[in-house]
Amino acid sequence: MNNFEQKILNMKSSSDPNSDSDQFLSKLHGRIKESEQDKKTIMTSFIMIFVIGFLSWSQLGAPIYEDIYYSTETEEYFETDFWTMSIDSLEVDESYTEDLAYFLLDEGDLWEAVDLLNEIKMEEEVSL
């Protein structure tokens, strides 16, 4: 036991009995602030994951519209202008022109139908 007591006394004497209380308190407050910051970070992460999960879950029943048409300004919606048509408009009979105009009117494109008829009329006047 003598050896054991001697080791304990040596350990006690090797430690610094004059520890700085200000340094200890500053390290303690630093650890407490770091712990609080970690808790805030974890809580914020869970809230963000919950919000993203809820927003994703709420969109599961939303309808998906697949019949959306995209076009640029230079192209016509149904490609009814004479620059994109692959046939000569003068060779087409009048029933095709009427059917195309009725189709455009049924789709709600009144001005497209008017433009189509005006282009056909202008082309007939130019060819005469």
Side-chain angles (χ1 to χ4, degrees):
M1 284 272 201
N2 242 349
N3 193 14
F4 180 70
E5 289 175 1
Q6 188 64 30
K7 285 182 181 179
I8 291 176
L9 289 174
N10 286 341
M11 283 181 18
K12 188 173 186 181
S13 66
S14 66
S15 66
D16 188 19
N18 297 328
S19 59
D20 189 14
S21 62
D22 292 334
Q23 183 182 8
F24 173 76
L25 287 176
S26 67
K27 286 184 179 180
L28 179 65
H29 288 298
R31 289 180 184 166
I32 290 172
K33 286 181 182 178
E34 185 178 327
S35 174
E36 289 174 357
Q37 187 65 30
D38 289 343
K39 287 179 185 177
K40 287 179 184 178
T41 303
I42 289 172
M43 184 60 75
T44 305
S45 300
F46 282 130
I47 289 173
M48 288 176 58
I49 289 172
F50 175 75
V51 167
I52 291 172
F54 177 74
L55 292 175
S56 298
W57 176 76
S58 67
Q59 292 297 315
L60 289 177
I64 298 173
Y65 300 107
E66 295 179 5
D67 56 345
I68 297 174
Y69 298 104
Y70 298 101
S71 64
T72 60
E73 293 178 8
T74 58
E75 296 177 0
E76 295 293 323
Y77 188 69
F78 291 106
E79 294 185 0
T80 55
D81 60 335
F82 289 110
W83 301 110
T84 57
M85 292 179 81
S86 61
I87 54 175
D88 188 16
S89 63
L90 296 178
E91 295 175 3
V92 177
D93 59 343
E94 290 182 13
S95 66
Y96 174 76
T97 306
E98 291 172 1
D99 290 340
L100 186 59
Y102 285 133
F103 173 75
L104 289 173
L105 289 174
D106 287 340
E107 292 293 319
D109 289 334
L110 173 68
W111 296 112
E112 281 287 322
V114 170
D115 288 340
L116 174 70
L117 295 174
N118 283 339
E119 284 183 30
I120 291 173
K121 184 177 178 183
M122 296 274 286
E123 194 169 302
E124 286 176 358
E125 288 176 0
V126 169
S127 64
L128 292 177

